[in-house]
Amino acid sequence: MNINNINDFLNFKDLEVNKIEKKTNGNFGEMLENSLKQVNKIQIDSENMKKELALGKVDNLHDVSIASEKANIALQVTMSVRGKVVEAYKEIMRIQI
């Protein structure tokens, strides 16, 4: 299998990372909030596609499985980032003044 551009293969345009960065103007809180909203939107879209599949409105099982996997990966990345932020917070709290 020949993959010329990994970004085209993964198609992470849905996450709109560049747009999130431009909207927040460097504010970490806003960036975090927008990122969580985007992950939530991906989760909701995946659930909606699963419901439509169960109702017989979706013909292509492939699209449903891709949406489900995108939602799963987005959640895993979010949980990983959360873990790193908690670790960093604990490390900062251990610093003696």
Side-chain angles (χ1 to χ4, degrees):
M1 184 163 125
N2 184 12
I3 300 175
N4 295 328
N5 188 348
I6 194 71
N7 289 330
D8 290 340
F9 177 72
L10 295 175
N11 194 16
F12 281 125
K13 295 174 190 172
D14 295 339
L15 295 180
E16 299 180 353
V17 175
N18 292 331
K19 291 180 182 178
I20 290 171
E21 186 175 313
K22 290 177 185 176
K23 288 180 188 176
T24 60
N25 295 325
N27 186 337
F28 179 74
E30 288 179 18
M31 183 190 68
L32 184 62
E33 182 180 350
N34 289 339
S35 298
L36 291 175
K37 284 180 182 178
Q38 188 67 28
V39 170
N40 188 44
K41 181 186 177 300
I42 292 170
Q43 294 285 329
I44 291 170
D45 290 346
S46 173
E47 289 300 317
N48 289 338
M49 287 191 79
K50 288 178 188 176
K51 288 177 186 174
E52 289 178 3
L53 178 68
L55 294 173
K57 294 180 180 178
V58 175
D59 295 332
N60 195 351
L61 179 61
H62 183 75
D63 291 338
V64 176
S65 63
I66 288 174
S68 178
E69 200 56 36
K70 277 185 181 181
N72 184 28
I73 291 171
L75 184 61
Q76 287 178 359
V77 169
T78 302
M79 295 305 294
S80 178
V81 169
R82 180 196 62 95
K84 291 293 183 180
V85 168
V86 169
E87 283 180 37
Y89 174 77
K90 286 180 181 179
E91 187 67 30
I92 289 170
M93 294 309 291
R94 279 184 257 175
I95 296 174
Q96 293 181 2
I97 298 176

